Amino acid sequence: MASGEARFSLSMNGRNGLPKIQTDKRSGEEMKEGEICHDDSAKPVKAQTIEELHSLQKKKSAPTTPHSGAMSAFAAAVPEEERSKQQLQSISASLASLTRETGPKVVKGDPARKSDTPHVQPVRHQQHHFVPTFNISSDSALKFTHILYNLSPAELYEQAIKYEKGSFLTSSGALATLSGAKTGRSPRDKRVVKDETTAEVALVGKEVPALFHISFRILRSCHGISVMFRGSPNIEMDEETFLINRERAVDYLCSLEKVFVNDQFLNWDPENRIKVRIVSARAYHSLFMHNMCIRPSQEELENFGTPDFTIYNAGQFPCNRFTHYMTSSTSIDLNLARREMVILGTQYAGEMKKGLFSVMHYLMPKRQILSLHSGCNMGKDGDVALFFGLSGTGKTTLSTDHNRYLIGDDEHCWSESGVSNIEGGCYAKCIDLSREKEPDIWNAIKFGTVVENVVFDEHTREVDYTDKSVTENTRAAYPIEYIPNAKIPCVGPHPKNVILLACDAFGVLPPVSKLTLAQTMYHFISGYTAVMAGTVDGIKEPTATFSACFGAAFIMFHPTKYAAMLAEKMQKHGATGWLVNTGWSGGSYETGSRIKLAYTRKIIDAIHSGVLLEANYTKTEVFGFEIPTEIEGVPSEILDPVNTWSDKNAHQETLLKLGGLFKKNFEVFLNHNIGTDNNLTQEILEAGPSF
Ligand SMILES: Nc1ncnc2c1ncn2[C@@H]1O[C@H](COP(=O)(O)OP(=O)(O)O)[C@@H](O)[C@H]1O
Ligand SMILES: C=C(OP(=O)(O)O)C(=O)O
Ligand SMILES: [Ca+2]
Ligand SMILES: [Mn+2]
């Protein structure tokens, strides 16, 4: 079955009336009736030795995937041996040094399994214009590099538990791992090669708004809350430095006895699918990407060919501080022309997922497709909602909704034909996770799921989700089909609601506001939240952050390009914008408390059902938000934050302070046109706070 075809059937699911989407229903083995066994005698096994006995355990098979299809006529036409040879050649080319003529000697299979016979695949490399290749072979060209290619979760579990310190089974069957010294992303160490390809890319040093340049500049302190303007991630680097880091990563990987290779896809829109290869040193990384990217069927894997993009994850190995541009031991380098990314000095797995997201933020807009840092789900009537927001604002939590189909929790595309998820899995925060409040995420933490940096009982292996001993940014990565209402394939029609999430540590943004199109654009470009601790390495306190398009760390072009595309699509498809504060209520974060998840869910329910669109509204001061007077299941007094503050003067002062921060942040966009509609541009500029 082609990946774009619907492969689900609807049947009613008793409890909440949501029709269940069933994927890949395989006909199970029929129970034969009348076959009754009267005693427990059985023939002895046909094995002469214990090895022979063990060999009976394992049936020969090709790698299995959740959506395996039948062999196509084309696939069958290419002999197995030839395909395997081509595959090894392709991997060997990926791992090739750019400075030596031969090597690596790539063989498939686990070095621990003596029966794997090495098929040596030396390659003659294409000359690269930057570096001369030396006609001397080194010892590294003489050794074998074993390739563990698209292993299954079970095989990866065994590799991890056997060879990687800190890998354990948890009581629910998940694989617990440690990501090492880094437990969050390192945006200050992310670089993009500057060349002809990136001429239009907003690089630091190019003509982009001043604040967009400033990477992580703490601007000022306000009520003990530091304010941060997250700048462009696109710190430029030159190609030569990239090649030095690439060579360092490739040499490190080839020096190992074995490396993991994943060949997978991004984007469920079949016309805009991207083939990615991830080369990594750890079973943990291979399993993480197995879960997070789209898993190819056996047939798709056989016809995979050359990847569109390759990640070299040598995260255990640092970059060289003597290398030009390097400011720490960590460097995450993106080269769009070479279609490669190199990771040195961080094992945080989110770096791979978000690195590929940057690539999509470049590739998709070039095809007139809008890439979105948002969650996405769909009601039973086909109403789609997007959930934009920075880390910790609730994209994963709120898109995972037992009453709706999950399309994806973090990265999407909006094209002429609707929305599509970029990924094949979800990456949920685990801190304080509870079965009661988030049952679907809780239940997804089972065999196959990777849990990072969680703490567990050494005997029972019961995870304590409240424990922050390793980090606050504990995570679970699972395939999307682990969520019962996942919509496979992960595509949907044009969105009806665009929900902007902000976790407001100031406690002055209303729990929900209905936005005009201009306000939606204003808040989309602003990208406000209070960063929650942990996800970004080194940030321990809630910090007010402005991150354009709710993803300044990932976007590749100027923010107004994405904003113009969003405005055009929302206008065309009549989508309504909302701003939902999933942060503080009853005061700032020292005095108030976070709004109850149950209330936020009620608010979101009212948006989805259309009830909120029909509610009565009043207008707020300063921000000019339309706020509803009543929502079923939510105490009316919390809908206007001023009611929940005991100190009204403090409220007013804080409101004005936050308004001022928005204004200051927006200054850099004042002389930028958003799309070609001058009226809309003017309206957007006027849609911010006024006082
Ligand atoms: N009212 C609320 N709305 C949404 N999330 C909340 C709320 N209160 C607490 N939380 C918690 O905040 C976190 C939101 O994180 P997450 O959904 O992973 O955000 P994102 O996917 O945007 O990074 C979760 O741990 C969730 O349990
Ligand atoms: C993977 C991440 O996504 P999020 O926190 O938005 O879920 C991250 O920011 O590291
Ligand atoms: Ca994020
Ligand atoms: Mn998330």
Side-chain angles (χ1 to χ4, degrees), residues 391 492 672:
S391 190
H672 277 266

Side-chain angles (χ1 to χ4, degrees), residues 150-167:
N150 274 33
L151 294 195
S152 67
E155 292 170 307
L156 291 168
Y157 264 56
E158 287 166 1
Q159 288 288 329
I161 291 167
K162 219 160 150 186
Y163 302 110
E164 291 170 18
K165 273 219 169 96
S167 298

Side-chain angles (χ1 to χ4, degrees), residues 91-238:
I91 295 170
S92 179
S94 290
L95 277 168
S97 155
L98 296 171
T99 58
R100 288 181 302 275
E101 266 212 324
T102 57
K105 285 188 169 61
V106 170
V107 290
K108 218 168 153 179
D110 191 343
R113 272 168 58 182
K114 297 285 177 287
S115 60
D116 289 329
T117 41
H119 316 280
V120 186
Q121 294 290 323
V123 280
R124 296 235 142 222
H125 306 318
Q126 282 183 321
Q127 297 272 335
H128 195 271
H129 65 277
F130 263 108
V131 240
T133 60
F134 298 100
N135 195 10
I136 23 165
S137 61
S138 71
D139 288 348
S140 66
L142 301 176
K143 78 172 266 297
F144 292 114
T145 302
H146 289 253
I147 301 296
L148 299 181
Y149 184 69
N150 274 33
L151 294 195
S152 67
E155 292 170 307
L156 291 168
Y157 264 56
E158 287 166 1
Q159 288 288 329
I161 291 167
K162 219 160 150 186
Y163 302 110
E164 291 170 18
K165 273 219 169 96
S167 298
F168 297 93
L169 266 175
T170 71
S171 61
S172 74
L175 181 73
T177 60
L178 291 173
S179 70
K182 300 270 178 165
T183 57
R185 282 183 291 107
S186 310
R188 277 155 286 187
D189 294 312
K190 210 164 158 185
R191 299 177 175 85
V192 178
V193 173
K194 184 184 174 181
D195 55 23
E196 314 82 65
T197 318
T198 54
E200 316 145 81
V201 170
L203 288 169
V204 171
K206 279 261 165 194
E207 218 185 279
V208 289
L211 279 176
F212 193 58
H213 285 177
I214 302 165
S215 268
F216 286 83
R217 197 176 81 170
I218 306 280
L219 217 76
R220 66 169 116 136
S221 205
C222 177
H223 271 228
I225 299 168
S226 46
V227 180
M228 182 181 273
F229 294 94
R230 260 212 268 194
S232 165
N234 307 322
I235 304 163
E236 66 177 52
M237 90 189 296
D238 60 83

